[in-house]
Amino acid sequence: MSRPILHVAIVGAGLGGLAAAIGIARAGHRVTILEKASAMGEIGAGIQIPPNSSLILKRWDLLDRIESASVRPSDFILRSYRDGTILSKQNMVPFAQDRFGAPYLHIHRADYHQILVDEAKRLGVAILLKSNVVGIDFEKPSIKLVNKAEFHADVILGADGLKSVCREALLQRPDPPCFTGDLAYRIIIKAEDMKKDPNLQELVEKPAINYWLGPRSHVVCYLLKGGGLYNVVLICPDNLPGQVNTAKADLDEMRGLFEHWDPTLKALLGLVQETSKWRLQNSREMKSWTHPGGKFALLGDACHATLPYLAQGAAQAVEDGAVLGALFHLIERRSQIADSLFIYERLRKGRTTRIVKGSTALRDIFHMEDGEQQQERDRQLTEEEPFENYPNRWADPVFQNWLFRYDADREVEIAWRDYKDGNFQRNPSSLRSAFGMAARQSRRLLRPFLYASAAVIAGGGVLYVSYRPRNLPGSEPAAVPPPGYGESGKFVPPRFPQVKSRDQQIADLKRSAGIRNTVEKTKGVLNALLGTGDAIEEHRVEDDAEPYDLLIIGGGATGTGIALDAVTRGLKVALVERDDFASGTSSKSTKLVHGGVRYLEKAVWELDYNQYKLVKEALRERKYFLDTAPHLSMWLPIMIPVQKWWQAPYFWAGTKFYDFLAGSEGIESSYFLTKSRALDAFPMLKKDNLFGALVYYDGAHNDSRMNVSLAMTAALYGSTIVNHVEVTGLMKDENGKLNGARVKDLVEEKDGKVAKEFTIRAKGIINATGPFTDSIRKMDDQAASEIVAPSSGVHVILPGYYSPSKMGLIDPATSDGRVIFFLPWQGNTIAGTTDAPTNITQNPIAGEEEINWILSEIQGYLAPDINVRRGDVLAAWSGIRPLVRDPKSKNTESLVRNHLLTASDSGLLTCAGGKWTTYRQMAEETVDEALRLYNLKSGPVLHVPHISGTEMIDDSAPLDGNCQTHQVRLLGAHGFSKTLFINLIQHFGLSTDVAKHLTESYGDRAWTVAALSAPTEKRFPVRGIRISPLYPIIDGEVRYAVRHEYAQTAVDVLARRTRLAFLNAQAALEALPYVIDLMGDELHWDAKRRKVEWNDTVQFLASMGLPKSKLRTTRQDVESGAAGEYDEHERKLYSRHDRPADTMESDSKFATDQNLLLSTDSPANK
């Protein structure tokens, strides 16, 4: 059979369309290009041709022609915007040619385009001008044209650029380009004019690529036309109005933007006679570039528009053309066309997506504001050898090799071999007809066996569903492997992106307000003169300051979950929290991530469909929870003791139904244990009346660390997240609609300063303040009815020996009918909870009556030889669960079963109620409602940070404007695995328990925490000074909390960043001096501030179960050891051991009645 000659129609005669035409024509096929323009030509100026595209041009025998019109840059140079100081230099000649077998070039875009046009015509490509495409028929296939006959071909390729008609036809909807927030001035200057200025001669004489990096802007310059022209591109914030995408530039305005930059650059701009400015735009990531019919595909900017920061847009279009050409060269029959296009997309989509994201991320590196991050970037550029994720991406040894060494022919050769061997997954649509025919024949042959097989399959299916192997979250290898050693043998540590500093975040909040109006300014001046009124900070920000789309009040699970959801939908988001992230209910949960077996029981017995839906939703969210944060959550087997034989089938049916509802979101199946097996698994159980036990699986997590991770992940994606900022008032416009809030920084008050109020502007305000919901509602409307019905849930922490380390227990029938959990957590045992009405306070204290009730219930199912004592309670706390009433319900006394979304007339959107497990679903619903209520538009996230610490491995969710938080992995998750702790031990010399604790609390960020830990000056462990000898919590965690997690107080560290206050209140008190010293050194606290921290923290520990007598403890008491002493009454309550220590009589050296505390020589005996 002869090889078919195909007719390929390409829409668009830009660089990508021409490259595809050349590649396919070289493969022997007939090619026609349909171009809308009336004449051939390219707009623009300079373009860079990196080795990955010059290698293709070399194979097409075009490199000599290209080089004759090009310039080879000697070096790639990054400079400081202030004075032009060289920050980094990467050699290009002869490096690129020697390393990658092809040069790095500059060329004028018009010259490049003309060379490709000439080559396409030489190869017989027909170029039809004035061909205005208005539609595609994908099945024929054919192209619909204005005032021309329909154009038919065997294959259609859409290469019509950013504003692609072909893309919209494939999507079947409008898809306009997205604004990026930047614009570009494109400038050409004659080299002869530059030579007249001695300060500019070097730029002309040395053909280097020069980049100046500055705040929110950068400049790139290089030679063209054999050194006769100098190409200058200025990238800066977009100030074009409305839908205007290009305009003639105001030269004074342009020069003013760079007034404070390098004098050399200013001199260069002084030579500009005229120029235009162009809005930089991008497109949304597409799920697929090909049509299921197998006769159409997109390429170039039509499907992967790339911003210019990495200078790879044209190169990627040329790569597309080379891959298509190589594939079409291998087609042997027409039936392979669809598979070839599918292989093309599979080969190209992952690479181009990574380059698009990498280019966008490079903008953030180039455009850093002056500050700590910029200083660290410059330090790395000037002082360190290039490493993976090095700020100069052209010098990054890993990225550089991956980017420039791309070989399109080799990639196609490997993929086609796999395809021919049946190892390459084919396009399902191309196999549909073959499968249909095979199925019809098979039915006739297999009919006699169908009924017997059905029975076997059904039985096997039941067994498989019950006992199928499943992957535990966190047990699979890390998405990002641990760091290793480079070619030189030097260890290459991970380079994680950093959040903005807290001061930078506050500056961003202030920037949203713009210049305050005359009334506000006048009021502020009068108050200052009269010495009355609140202090209001006077600040001026640029006139065009944009308000936030959303301002979220509250930094608990709900608030931070909403922030992450909104920012990953492309919204501009701010969040403020009066205290700290998770300072309220979100840190005081039972630590379970569960669907709720008791809710399922109610759903069945009460035939309550709403309860059933709650369980189903929670089980789905449980799986998302454990997938997105495997380092902070885990599957936990939970035992239900069976005391009567008839309870066994009842509990078995309930747990199996629970497994069934979980479906694919479940894990191991529930199972029954005999009495002996139950006691072996949980030796502390009481044997009397024990028939056996049922074990089912649920999730457990570290709640406050999860909350902090949500906040920091949202911050990395671009949210402005600030703790210890209090909302003092809400602002409304002339129509009574909310448009902002007045806030103050409470940290300033702790520092002894007057906290000045400032304004945050936002289009919408969300109230996510948990138990304090009504205070914000009343701030909006004094007449608002109260919707929160606060309920207190008390938990106690007991030593770890009260439960197995890997199994929990639930008592479904306590003395008063409530459920109590008994779970291992952080090496200790957590027991709770109670459920009683309470008053709302910031730090509620667990009552002795509630503590004793929990202890008595525990005693009821533990072995009688285990004495459950009040002194074993290491910590006890009360969390306030904000049960809510619907203010719009006729029955205002009835409580909603899950969570509530309600909006006031002024536009305050309140989300209240719910539970930890469903925080993500609550956030999704809240953002959906906010988009509708405030008329906001979501969109793709164009500046996606490489949270994993590398852009070489991209497992991020497709952030296309829809909710993707079920796929967005939290900070620390990407490099986490169950064996990561071994790498930490081997590299840092940490003790095993510390290494495990760090990986389970910080995930892959444990590398940073360990690096921040001080040497122990011991043989082993080498690093990590414990802040408490009882727990594996080390000094590096305190430094990390301050530098990377916005910890501002000792309570932030002891309670929420580490969990020491929740694990052991007395141990937290004893660790307090060291923690204050570490934080004081980091935050430059004076003696007065350290005293404030001491007093505030000791008072807080009262809410963690610290005895009242300890509230007067001084630092000197702790350092002298006196803080561990109790009077006789408190010793009986709080001591964990008898006094004096018992010895066996046969081993004692003392008389039975002798007082061991008084020696015979004691003055008390005289």
Side-chain angles (χ1 to χ4, degrees):
M1 181 184 296
S2 61
R3 180 172 169 268
I5 297 177
L6 305 175
H7 183 195
V8 180
I10 300 175
V11 180
L15 297 177
L18 290 167
I22 292 169
I24 295 170
R26 285 173 57 86
H29 299 286
R30 177 185 166 203
V31 182
T32 303
I33 297 178
L34 291 86
E35 169 56 45
K36 180 180 180 180
S38 58
M40 294 300 293
E42 266 284 351
I43 59 174
I47 192 168
Q48 299 180 41
I49 303 180
N52 48 309
S53 57
S54 62
L55 177 64
I56 294 168
L57 298 170
K58 180 180 178 180
R59 288 177 175 170
W60 286 351
D61 296 324
L62 293 176
L63 190 56
D64 289 343
R65 275 181 275 173
I66 293 289
E67 284 214 75
S68 67
S70 302
V71 175
R72 283 198 185 197
S74 58
D75 298 286
F76 191 100
I77 301 172
L78 300 185
R79 298 177 181 271
S80 168
Y81 80 97
R82 295 182 186 87
D83 55 9
T85 299
I86 294 178
L87 302 173
S88 176
K89 179 187 287 188
Q90 170 61 50
N91 176 258
M92 286 297 173
V93 177
F95 175 79
Q97 181 73 51
D98 293 346
R99 181 75 177 269
F100 307 110
Y104 201 113
L105 304 170
H106 310 148
I107 191 171
H108 198 288
R109 182 179 287 267
D111 294 338
Y112 194 9
H113 187 261
Q114 188 59 53
I115 291 170
L116 295 185
V117 169
D118 292 344
E119 178 64 9
K121 290 180 176 179
R122 188 188 71 78
L123 292 170
V125 175
I127 302 177
L128 305 182
L129 301 177
K130 299 181 182 180
S131 299
N132 192 357
V133 176
V134 293
I136 307 287
D137 185 325
F138 296 105
E139 297 300 330
K140 289 182 180 179
S142 65
I143 302 170
K144 299 174 183 177
L145 302 166
V146 175
N147 299 326
K148 288 187 178 183
E150 195 169 348
F151 190 91
H152 295 263
D154 296 312
V155 180
I156 297 173
L157 300 176
D160 48 343
L162 181 62
K163 299 177 182 178
S164 171
V165 174
C166 295
R167 181 175 71 246
E168 293 188 340
L170 179 62
L171 295 172
Q172 298 183 332
R173 59 173 171 79
D175 189 40
C178 307
F179 294 176
T180 64
D182 282 350
L183 61 77
Y185 292 89
R186 295 191 174 107
I187 300 165
I188 292 291
I189 299 173
K190 292 181 179 179
E192 63 186 37
D193 293 338
M194 295 174 61
K195 292 177 181 178
K196 298 174 184 177
D197 186 336
N199 295 321
L200 301 179
Q201 287 179 1
E202 184 180 354
L203 297 179
V204 179
E205 293 169 355
K206 294 184 178 180
I209 307 175
N210 283 283
Y211 277 73
W212 280 263
L213 315 185
R216 303 174 68 187
S217 305
H218 81 273
V219 178
V220 57
C221 306
Y222 48 83
L223 287 165
L224 296 174
K225 294 282 188 179
L229 296 178
Y230 202 64
N231 183 66
V232 182
V233 180
L234 314 177
I235 307 290
C236 55
D238 185 355
N239 62 2
L240 284 167
Q243 297 301 312
V244 176
N245 293 324
T246 184
K248 186 174 181 180
D250 181 324
L251 296 183
D252 289 335
E253 177 192 64
M254 178 195 74
R255 293 176 181 127
L257 293 171
F258 298 90
E259 175 65 26
H260 303 292
W261 286 49
D262 180 10
T264 300
L265 181 62
K266 290 169 61 179
L268 185 63
L269 297 184
L271 298 177
V272 179
Q273 301 295 319
E274 64 176 359
T275 187
S276 297
K277 53 185 179 181
W278 305 71
R279 172 171 279 144
L280 295 182
Q281 301 177 83
N282 207 342
S283 60
R284 299 167 181 82
E285 183 178 349
M286 299 181 68
K287 291 183 178 178
S288 177
W289 301 348
T290 56
H291 187 270
K295 301 171 185 176
F296 174 86
L298 295 169
L299 66 98
D301 282 354
C303 54
H304 55 74
T306 307
L307 293 173
Y309 311 107
L310 196 55
Q312 277 286 323
Q316 292 310 299
V318 171
E319 286 184 8
D320 288 346
V323 168
L324 285 165
L327 284 167
F328 275 65
H329 178 74
L330 296 170
I331 291 176
E332 299 169 339
R333 52 187 179 274
R334 290 179 178 270
S335 61
Q336 293 176 331
I337 294 174
D339 290 339
S340 296
L341 295 181
F342 178 67
I343 293 170
Y344 154 72
E345 181 175 340
R346 283 283 300 275
L347 288 177
R348 297 296 301 150
K349 196 168 188 298
R351 176 172 169 85
T352 57
T353 298
R354 190 173 302 158
I355 287 172
V356 168
K357 292 181 178 180
S359 183
T360 306
L362 193 59
R363 179 180 81 161
D364 298 333
I365 296 174
F366 283 0
H367 292 190
M368 286 181 180
E369 300 274 7
D370 289 345
E372 293 179 3
Q373 286 186 304
Q374 166 263 323
Q375 292 168 7
E376 174 60 17
R377 177 201 68 190
D378 292 355
R379 186 198 64 77
Q380 291 179 6
L381 287 170
T382 55
E383 297 180 10
E384 297 194 22
E385 289 295 319
F387 50 81
E388 184 178 2
N389 292 328
Y390 188 61
N392 183 349
R393 311 306 287 124
W394 289 266
D396 176 341
V398 179
F399 183 75
Q400 177 196 78
N401 196 58
W402 175 82
L403 182 65
F404 293 156
R405 204 180 285 279
Y406 185 79
D407 187 331
D409 291 346
R410 178 63 176 162
E411 294 290 323
V412 169
E413 179 187 345
I414 294 170
W416 194 263
R417 186 191 310 133
D418 289 343
Y419 166 69
K420 297 286 284 185
D421 292 343
N423 298 325
F424 199 99
Q425 182 182 351
R426 302 188 184 191
N427 190 348
S429 62
S430 69
L431 303 179
R432 195 177 297 138
S433 59
F435 283 152
M437 184 180 297
R440 288 192 294 271
Q441 295 173 348
S442 298
R443 279 198 295 271
R444 290 195 296 269
L445 295 173
L446 297 177
R447 192 182 300 275
F449 306 102
L450 287 178
Y451 295 109
S453 300
V456 173
I457 292 170
V462 171
L463 291 173
Y464 177 77
V465 169
S466 298
Y467 298 104
R468 69 190 185 278
R470 312 182 205 187
N471 291 325
L472 285 158
S475 62
E476 63 274 6
V480 176
Y485 293 83
E487 295 179 0
S488 63
K490 181 181 178 182
F491 181 76
V492 182
R495 301 282 175 170
F496 299 116
Q498 295 186 13
V499 295
K500 291 182 178 180
S501 70
R502 186 172 181 275
D503 288 343
Q504 289 174 320
Q505 296 280 41
I506 291 177
D508 287 346
L509 291 178
K510 294 177 179 178
R511 189 177 291 117
S512 74
I515 298 177
R516 292 179 26 239
N517 62 47
T518 304
V519 174
E520 280 188 298
K521 286 192 252 183
T522 303
K523 179 181 176 183
V525 171
L526 288 174
N527 285 340
L529 290 173
L530 298 174
T532 60
D534 296 330
I536 300 178
E537 181 174 0
E538 182 69 42
H539 59 280
R540 289 178 174 267
V541 193
E542 55 265 32
D543 292 292
D544 61 348
E546 282 293 320
Y548 288 98
D549 292 321
L550 294 176
L551 169 61
I552 302 160
I553 306 173
T558 305
T560 54
I562 293 170
L564 181 59
D565 189 302
V567 76
T568 53
R569 296 203 214 184
L571 299 181
K572 185 178 180 182
V573 181
L575 179 149
V576 293
E577 162 60 44
R578 178 181 63 182
D579 194 339
D580 184 30
F581 312 119
S583 59
T585 308
S586 297
S587 62
K588 299 174 181 177
S589 70
T590 309
K591 322 305 178 192
L592 281 178
V593 186
H594 62 129
V597 287
R598 65 181 186 273
Y599 300 137
L600 180 59
E601 186 179 30
K602 288 181 181 179
V604 172
W605 285 110
E606 299 172 12
L607 299 179
D608 189 334
Y609 181 68
N610 287 326
Q611 291 273 14
Y612 169 84
K613 281 203 311 182
L614 289 179
V615 176
K616 185 70 175 172
E617 174 188 292
L619 288 171
R620 182 189 69 244
E621 292 301 316
R622 180 185 69 175
K623 183 60 162 57
Y624 294 155
F625 201 114
L626 275 69
D627 283 343
T628 56
H631 56 303
L632 296 172
S633 50
M634 56 179 283
W635 288 100
L636 180 68
I638 301 177
M639 179 181 290
I640 308 174
V642 176
Q643 296 177 326
K644 307 290 184 181
W645 69 266
W646 55 266
Q647 289 179 325
Y650 177 78
F651 289 149
W652 184 89
T655 55
K656 286 299 177 185
F657 190 27
Y658 196 60
D659 294 342
F660 173 76
L661 286 183
S664 62
E665 279 92 22
I667 188 65
E668 296 292 342
S669 296
S670 55
Y671 56 91
F672 178 76
L673 291 176
T674 62
K675 178 178 180 178
S676 61
R677 297 290 300 275
L679 290 172
D680 183 57
F682 208 117
M684 306 82 177
L685 276 180
K686 182 167 62 177
K687 301 177 183 179
D688 298 345
N689 299 321
L690 182 67
F691 179 78
L694 259 297
V695 177
Y696 73 98
Y697 285 80
D698 248 329
H701 75 133
N702 188 336
D703 51 7
S704 73
R705 286 234 40 93
M706 180 77 178
N707 201 153
V708 171
S709 294
L710 283 168
M712 294 303 101
T713 305
L716 280 174
Y717 275 102
S719 293
T720 304
I721 307 280
V722 190
N723 55 351
H724 298 289
V725 168
E726 180 179 19
V727 174
T728 58
L730 300 178
M731 301 177 62
K732 299 180 181 179
D733 62 18
E734 61 274 9
N735 299 317
K737 296 295 185 181
L738 290 172
N739 64 358
R742 292 189 305 278
V743 301
K744 64 179 180 179
D745 182 5
L746 298 182
V747 173
E748 291 184 343
E749 292 184 349
K750 285 183 175 289
D751 287 334
K753 303 174 184 176
V754 176
K756 298 178 181 179
E757 287 189 1
F758 59 91
T759 299
I760 305 171
R761 288 175 58 219
K763 299 172 186 176
I765 299 180
I766 296 176
N767 176 15
T769 51
F772 303 96
T773 292
D774 287 326
S775 64
I776 301 297
R777 281 169 48 81
K778 289 183 179 294
M779 193 179 289
D780 170 48
D781 178 5
Q782 282 294 329
S785 60
E786 294 188 356
I787 63 173
V788 174
S791 174
S792 170
V794 171
H795 295 82
V796 301
I797 288 288
L798 298 166
Y801 53 69
Y802 269 88
S803 68
S805 62
K806 296 295 183 181
M807 181 172 288
L809 185 142
I810 179 175
D811 183 359
T814 60
S815 58
D816 61 0
R818 287 180 288 184
V819 171
I820 193 168
F821 286 96
F822 195 62
L823 310 167
W825 183 67
Q826 301 287 305
N828 285 353
T829 301
I830 185 172
T833 179
T834 62
D835 186 6
T838 187
N839 296 319
I840 297 175
T841 57
Q842 191 159 355
N843 291 310
I845 296 176
E848 283 297 322
E849 181 179 349
E850 295 162 304
I851 293 173
N852 289 327
W853 178 82
I854 293 174
L855 296 179
S856 66
E857 292 299 325
I858 292 171
Q859 185 69 76
Y861 55 77
L862 292 184
D865 57 340
I866 299 176
N867 184 20
V868 180
R869 304 177 303 180
R870 177 63 178 83
D872 286 337
V873 177
L874 305 178
W877 68 84
S878 172
I880 300 177
R881 183 186 179 196
L883 305 175
V884 288
R885 309 179 186 90
D886 187 348
K888 298 178 182 178
S889 172
K890 293 181 179 179
N891 180 7
T892 58
E893 293 302 313
S894 63
L895 300 176
V896 298
R897 295 176 183 270
N898 195 356
H899 60 274
L900 172 72
L901 272 176
T902 182
S904 70
D905 293 338
S906 63
L908 178 67
L909 180 58
T910 296
C911 180
K915 60 181 182 177
W916 242 119
T917 306
T918 56
Y919 86 90
R920 193 209 65 82
Q921 179 69 29
M922 292 165 61
E924 180 178 351
E925 293 177 15
T926 303
V927 176
D928 287 344
E929 178 62 17
L931 292 172
R932 185 197 65 78
L933 181 65
Y934 305 125
N935 195 29
L936 301 173
K937 300 295 183 183
S938 63
V941 178
L942 302 177
H943 308 295
V944 180
H946 295 289
I947 295 182
S948 66
T950 177
E951 60 193 40
M952 300 306 299
I953 298 175
D954 182 11
D955 68 340
S956 60
L959 304 182
D960 55 4
N962 298 310
C963 178
Q964 297 290 348
T965 47
H966 61 293
Q967 301 182 75
V968 175
R969 289 189 165 200
L970 299 191
L971 177 147
H974 300 78
F976 171 75
S977 71
K978 295 290 187 181
T979 59
L980 178 61
F981 75 96
I982 298 174
N983 302 104
L984 292 176
I985 295 171
Q986 292 175 336
H987 183 68
F988 290 105
L990 301 175
S991 60
T992 301
D993 59 338
V994 168
K996 286 185 176 180
H997 159 72
L998 293 185
T999 56
E1000 292 168 2
S1001 298
Y1002 302 91
D1004 58 25
R1005 266 46 176 191
W1007 288 100
T1008 306
V1009 178
L1012 291 173
S1013 303
T1016 63
E1017 308 301 335
K1018 299 178 181 177
R1019 183 174 178 273
F1020 195 85
V1022 178
R1023 277 183 182 261
I1025 299 174
R1026 298 183 187 232
I1027 66 173
S1028 169
L1030 302 176
Y1031 297 93
I1033 302 170
I1034 59 173
D1035 58 322
E1037 295 181 67
V1038 181
R1039 296 186 184 94
Y1040 183 84
V1042 173
R1043 298 184 192 181
H1044 301 283
E1045 295 182 335
Y1046 299 158
Q1048 295 296 305
T1049 70
V1051 173
D1052 294 351
V1053 169
L1054 287 171
R1056 269 93 57 177
R1057 304 310 185 280
T1058 72
R1059 306 312 309 274
L1060 186 57
F1062 281 81
L1063 292 168
N1064 191 321
Q1066 178 70 28
L1069 176 66
E1070 292 168 359
L1072 184 55
Y1074 188 36
V1075 170
I1076 288 178
D1077 286 346
L1078 288 172
M1079 295 189 72
D1081 292 343
E1082 290 287 323
L1083 296 170
H1084 310 295
W1085 288 343
D1086 57 20
K1088 185 177 179 180
R1089 174 62 193 275
R1090 295 180 191 231
K1091 180 66 174 176
V1092 168
E1093 285 302 313
W1094 180 271
N1095 293 334
D1096 289 352
T1097 307
V1098 173
Q1099 292 303 311
F1100 169 81
L1101 290 176
S1103 68
M1104 293 289 105
L1106 191 70
K1108 291 182 179 179
S1109 66
K1110 299 298 179 185
L1111 302 184
R1112 297 183 296 274
T1113 302
T1114 66
R1115 176 168 181 152
Q1116 291 72 26
D1117 292 335
V1118 171
E1119 292 175 338
S1120 67
E1125 298 177 358
Y1126 292 92
D1127 61 30
E1128 189 61 24
H1129 171 71
E1130 288 190 338
R1131 183 189 64 75
K1132 292 178 180 178
L1133 282 178
Y1134 302 115
S1135 177
R1136 292 183 57 191
H1137 56 80
D1138 295 330
R1139 182 183 181 189
D1142 293 329
T1143 58
M1144 298 297 290
E1145 184 176 346
S1146 60
D1147 294 333
S1148 178
K1149 300 178 181 179
F1150 305 98
T1152 304
D1153 58 350
Q1154 182 175 340
N1155 187 335
L1156 302 183
L1157 297 180
L1158 297 176
S1159 72
T1160 55
D1161 296 328
S1162 172
N1165 294 325
K1166 298 179 182 178

